[in-house]
Amino acid sequence: MESHKKEIIKATVPALEQHGTTITKVFYQTMFEKHPELLDMFNQTNQKVGDQPKALAFTVLQAARHIDDLEAIVPAVIGIAHKHRALNVKPEHYPIVGENLLVGIKEVLGDAATPEIMDAWEEYYGEIAQVFIDVENGMYQTADWDGFVPFEVVKKDHLSDDIVRYTVKNDTVEYDLRAGQYITVKVDPEDYPNEALRHYSICSINTDEGLQFAVKKEGSGEKSGVVSHYMHDDVKVGDTLELSAPAGDFLLNHEEDKFLFIAGGVGATPVMAMIEEAIAADKDSKFIYSVQNEGMHPFKDEMKAFGEEIDVKIKYSDTEGYLTHEDFEGMEDRSVYICGSMHFMNAMIKVLTEVGFEEENIHFEPFGPKMSVIGETVASSN
Ligand SMILES: Cc1cc2nc3c(=O)[nH]c(=O)nc-3n(C[C@H](O)[C@H](O)[C@H](O)COP(=O)(O)OP(=O)(O)OC[C@H]3O[C@@H](n4cnc5c(N)ncnc54)[C@H](O)[C@@H]3O)c2cc1C
Ligand code: HEM
């Protein structure tokens, strides 16, 4: 891209960031009007509540800081690209997003949106889209299978008051599973206008009976989560679920030797598989788990069995309070793997850095967008 065009992009980013919410709103509105088929791919609850919709447009704006060296954003792109691949986002979708994002940008800039400025943005979007397309092409080539394939539900066990584990099987596909990865289910609930896609972490590396994942029933009444309620209430043994291949970059680094695993509530799911992998590799590991109370506590037998191999501490927040500084003292030399809600992740990262853990040794998987963290990564690696 010519340098005067790069200057145009850099000069317009601050104003666009200030009105990022308007861009997001206009972008999704025009895109879904012109391409209603995409309503099946994007989470429609997130369109009403939550931060997720902002992630896409804000990432485009934040990446503009690296316009002189787009290669620098590749590490941040990888986590997003895993989600895109899991959702079956394809190269042909990029021009659709680009066109509608430009409508949002034009609306925010108003009279200042000269043809020269809009040309520069169109070209820049094309470049950043190409970075994503290239990374995702590599992932499609190495994925265990293409698109969504049917799996039979062979087992459904209740692990706690609100968590159910599903074991699903398809003997025609082979997979090379890594602890920490997630599968993505595509469902079509009868009383819901669209298809819905959601990611669920694989909770065991043992696949003798099939792939295992566990789903927490989210919300109730008007706030009932679409897919988690459908899974709990409607999906039975013998039913078929469409799954895309395992994805994700929350993986154990086997070059490290001392691990600390931390999980909150249903965030135990990927961590259970990781602990299995760490024990199998004979790694020095500790596990700290926070959950509201005994009734909400999943994987009790599995955690008890871990306790025979590694240090396991379970804290019920209703009676013993939340995890805090003293729970982690003396463990600062360990590599940390955390999973839980966005709120849990943020609280843990704050406490751990205050205790003296190095930020680069803290790995995490929020059950939501990594947006805020990616934004900082893109911005701070400048
Ligand atoms: C990498 C990754 C791995 C994951 N792994 C797991 C896992 O192993 N197990 C698991 O259970 N989940 C996991 N999740 C979360 C999962 O993908 C879903 O987000 C979760 O099941 C909720 O989906 P849903 O369709 O039930 O809720 P949605 O319909 O998507 O709703 C999202 C949230 O909004 C709330 N809500 C709905 N309507 C309203 C309203 N009007 N006002 C306010 N709030 C509202 C819902 O209660 C819910 O909490 C993972 C997510 C990611 C990104
Ligand atoms: C350069 C262009 C793009 C950027 C920068 C981008 C960025 C992002 C980011 C940051 C997220 C959140 C990831 C997370 O959960 O951690 C996301 C999610 C998502 N993206 Fe993209 N994206 C781009 C293009 C696309 C395209 C072309 C499509 C398909 C039409 C797409 C579909 C989705 C979907 C469906 C989600 C999940 C969000 C939801 O379900 O609400 N994205 N994207």
Side-chain angles (χ1 to χ4, degrees):
M1 190 179 219
E2 294 161 25
S3 60
H4 79 278
K5 290 189 180 170
K6 288 183 182 170
E7 292 314 313
I8 290 177
I9 300 290
K10 286 185 206 163
T12 47
V13 163
L16 292 171
E17 275 186 337
Q18 226 184 348
H19 300 285
T21 314
T22 310
I23 298 179
T24 304
K25 221 169 121 187
V26 174
F27 158 61
Y28 283 112
Q29 211 171 335
T30 55
M31 185 168 77
F32 291 141
E33 261 167 35
K34 288 191 236 165
H35 292 275
E37 73 281 6
L38 292 179
L39 290 165
D40 284 339
M41 188 188 268
F42 285 84
N43 180 332
Q44 293 308 307
T45 309
N46 286 343
Q47 293 294 319
K48 288 185 255 160
V49 290
D51 278 341
Q52 176 88 31
K54 289 188 216 143
L56 199 164
F58 275 74
T59 302
V60 172
L61 297 179
Q62 285 160 343
R65 294 201 178 91
H66 287 275
I67 192 159
D68 293 323
D69 175 22
L70 276 182
E71 281 298 303
I73 68 166
V74 169
V77 167
I78 288 172
I80 303 167
H82 273 285
K83 295 224 174 112
H84 281 164
R85 203 242 73 217
L87 297 161
N88 225 13
V89 172
K90 289 288 175 73
E92 58 269 27
H93 291 124
Y94 279 85
I96 300 174
V97 161
E99 185 192 328
N100 294 292
L101 208 51
L102 288 179
V103 174
I105 289 175
K106 194 164 182 195
E107 171 129 344
V108 164
L109 293 177
D111 291 344
T114 61
E116 201 190 6
I117 289 181
M118 294 313 296
D119 271 2
W121 269 100
E122 191 177 341
E123 192 175 331
Y124 160 65
Y125 172 80
E127 288 193 9
I128 182 173
Q130 198 58 48
V131 175
F132 275 86
I133 290 169
D134 290 344
V135 172
E136 287 159 19
N137 274 341
M139 292 178 176
Y140 280 109
Q141 278 163 23
T142 53
D144 287 329
W145 64 84
D146 277 344
F148 287 85
V149 307
F151 276 70
E152 185 190 343
V153 178
V154 292
K155 207 165 168 191
K156 180 175 175 184
D157 353 82
H158 289 263
L159 299 184
S160 73
D161 292 351
D162 57 3
I163 298 179
V164 164
R165 176 171 54 199
Y166 301 82
T167 307
V168 298
K169 208 165 175 157
N170 175 329
D171 290 329
T172 67
V173 291
E174 284 183 15
Y175 34 85
D176 180 19
L177 192 65
R178 288 283 315 271
Q181 289 185 307
Y182 52 86
I183 47 81
T184 302
V185 299
K186 176 163 79 175
V187 295
D188 194 3
E190 219 169 85
D191 50 355
Y192 186 68
N194 307 106
E195 288 181 347
L197 307 178
R198 298 291 185 271
H199 310 296
Y200 293 103
S201 303
I202 296 159
C203 54
S204 177
I205 54 172
N206 181 344
T207 57
D208 294 350
E209 291 181 60
L211 285 173
Q212 296 176 35
F213 60 93
V215 178
K216 178 181 174 200
K217 200 170 196 179
E218 297 284 354
S220 58
E222 282 182 2
K223 296 184 180 173
S224 296
V226 173
V227 176
S228 60
H229 277 250
Y230 172 75
M231 293 289 298
H232 276 241
D233 299 343
D234 294 341
V235 174
K236 315 176 291 301
V237 170
D239 286 355
T240 297
L241 284 172
E242 301 271 324
L243 259 60
S244 74
D249 58 352
F250 183 56
L251 305 174
L252 273 192
N253 178 355
H254 283 265
E255 282 171 20
E256 296 160 344
D257 286 317
K258 292 177 82 176
F259 295 128
L260 169 60
F261 297 99
I262 306 173
V266 71
T269 47
V271 172
M272 296 302 290
M274 286 178 142
I275 296 173
E276 287 177 353
E277 193 173 293
I279 290 175
D282 215 10
K283 299 284 183 183
D284 174 352
S285 307
K286 286 181 187 286
F287 175 38
I288 303 186
Y289 181 56
S290 168
V291 67
Q292 217 172 319
N293 52 49
E294 201 188 343
M296 315 271 276
H297 180 175
F299 305 110
K300 284 194 198 79
D301 294 343
E302 292 82 352
M303 288 187 192
K304 199 170 163 205
F306 289 160
E308 285 161 22
E309 311 267 352
I310 62 168
D311 259 12
V312 174
K313 176 173 177 173
I314 293 158
K315 206 166 164 181
Y316 291 147
S317 58
D318 276 354
T319 47
E320 298 165 279
Y322 292 120
L323 298 179
T324 184
H325 302 76
E326 56 261 32
D327 291 308
F328 306 112
E329 272 157 12
M331 303 181 194
E332 298 84 339
D333 58 335
R334 289 175 183 269
S335 269
V336 188
Y337 290 79
I338 319 176
C339 186
S341 66
M342 210 60 193
H343 178 74
F344 180 79
M345 308 288 321
N346 285 332
M348 287 303 102
I349 291 169
K350 182 167 181 287
V351 168
L352 291 170
T353 44
E354 283 167 5
V355 169
F357 284 82
E358 299 288 335
E359 233 174 280
E360 72 218 35
N361 292 336
I362 305 176
H363 315 277
F364 52 89
E365 180 84 305
F367 280 180
K370 283 189 180 172
M371 178 181 71
S372 54
V373 184
I374 284 164
E376 280 161 26
T377 311
V378 170
S380 66
S381 56
N382 211 344

